[in-house]
Amino acid sequence: MEKTLRILFITLIILVFASVSFAGEEEDEEKEAVKISYVEITPSFVSNLSGGPKYIRCNIQLMTKYASNVPEIELHMPALRHAVLMLLAGADGKALLTPDGKEALRKQALEAVNKVLEELSGKKRVDDLYFTAYYVK
């Protein structure tokens, strides 16, 4: 009888812990509702270019599908600006005059921003990057 009670007690404890751990997993699996937010990187980027046109001036906004990502993006803004500036400094001015060159730069900047965020926060948090002003001279 005592052995049976002990087995029942142990089984009950296991079931309680199992239900607590499954409840935690269900909360993690619930997705946050999509609420698109934009974060402007200020001030404007101004950088010298290599070859052809001499400089670029552009404004960039970052788009995230989840508003909860905004504080993390803002926290790492200095590192994000640095990554974009390094990318711009090595860019070919002639290529940036074409629509394909502009799109390639946009994709490279998005990749650079997400790489920095993943290194610093463990997650890619930016879903897209937009030029809201773009001038190459």
Side-chain angles (χ1 to χ4, degrees):
M1 177 79 164
E2 192 175 314
K3 187 176 181 180
T4 305
L5 283 175
R6 197 177 302 161
I7 291 172
L8 280 172
F9 181 72
I10 292 171
T11 304
L12 180 64
I13 290 175
I14 291 171
L15 288 174
V16 167
F17 282 116
S19 67
V20 168
S21 75
F22 284 131
E25 287 176 20
E26 287 175 4
E27 289 173 13
D28 290 344
E29 290 176 4
E30 289 179 7
K31 296 279 184 176
E32 177 183 352
V34 172
K35 184 177 180 190
I36 293 175
S37 296
Y38 295 89
V39 179
E40 184 176 10
I41 302 179
T42 56
S44 297
F45 288 94
V46 178
S47 179
N48 292 326
L49 298 171
S50 62
K54 299 291 182 196
Y55 74 93
I56 183 172
R57 180 187 176 277
C58 62
N59 295 346
I60 293 176
Q61 291 212 14
L62 307 174
M63 188 269 285
T64 179
K65 290 181 182 175
Y66 304 105
S68 63
N69 287 334
V70 171
E72 196 75 27
I73 292 168
E74 290 173 341
L75 173 67
H76 298 298
M77 193 59 71
L80 301 178
R81 281 191 62 81
H82 173 77
V84 172
L85 280 170
M86 293 295 102
L87 180 65
L88 292 173
D92 175 22
K94 288 180 185 174
L96 297 183
L97 289 173
T98 68
D100 289 341
K102 182 178 178 180
E103 180 62 16
L105 177 64
R106 188 189 72 77
K107 288 178 180 177
Q108 291 170 352
L110 176 60
E111 186 178 310
V113 162
N114 272 323
K115 181 179 178 190
V116 168
L117 286 170
E118 192 167 29
E119 288 172 0
L120 296 176
S121 70
K123 236 174 112 174
K124 294 180 180 180
R125 297 179 185 275
V126 175
D127 295 291
D128 217 336
L129 179 146
Y130 299 102
F131 291 115
T132 53
Y134 186 89
Y135 181 74
V136 175
K137 178 77 175 161

